[in-house]
Amino acid sequence: MELQTSGAASNYAASLMNLKRFGQAKVVLRKAMPVARRVLGESHDIALKMRLFYAAALYQDDGATLDDLREAATTLEDTASTARRVLGGSHPLAISIEEGLRESQEALSARETYVRALANE
């Protein structure tokens, strides 16, 4: 039963992400991720997807703070490591997580550059 519930929560979050409702996706995932990790385990594909979706909701949000971008990058660094170890580097989910990691790092770097430029004005 918990597998179905976690899968449904993950699918719902993915739908919210597609609609660019990042705030709502974060709320759903903050509640569902601890349950999925406890019941399914840290390395289950649904738990990994939830972490990917959560990080994406953080860094894709136009209102993301610098802390949000840092959290997204950190989350994806950890998730990518787990995905490579468990699934292998050529698995589609591992590849998606790596792509998300690159995107989050780019967003973080751009924001840090912007903040430094503002500070120097």
Side-chain angles (χ1 to χ4, degrees), residues 35-91:
V35 175
R37 288 166 112 172
R38 185 180 69 247
V39 174
L40 304 175
E42 184 82 21
S43 59
H44 193 280
D45 63 332
I46 290 174
L48 294 171
K49 283 180 190 178
M50 285 183 174
R51 293 176 72 195
L52 170 61
F53 296 156
Y54 177 71
L58 288 171
Y59 78 81
Q60 291 178 4
D61 191 340
D62 290 337
T65 65
L66 196 51
D67 285 341
D68 290 339
L69 297 175
R70 287 183 183 128
E71 182 180 357
T74 301
T75 297
L76 287 171
E77 286 168 1
D78 181 50
T79 306
S81 174
T82 302
R84 279 191 304 272
R85 179 176 45 79
V86 174
L87 303 172
S90 62
H91 190 280

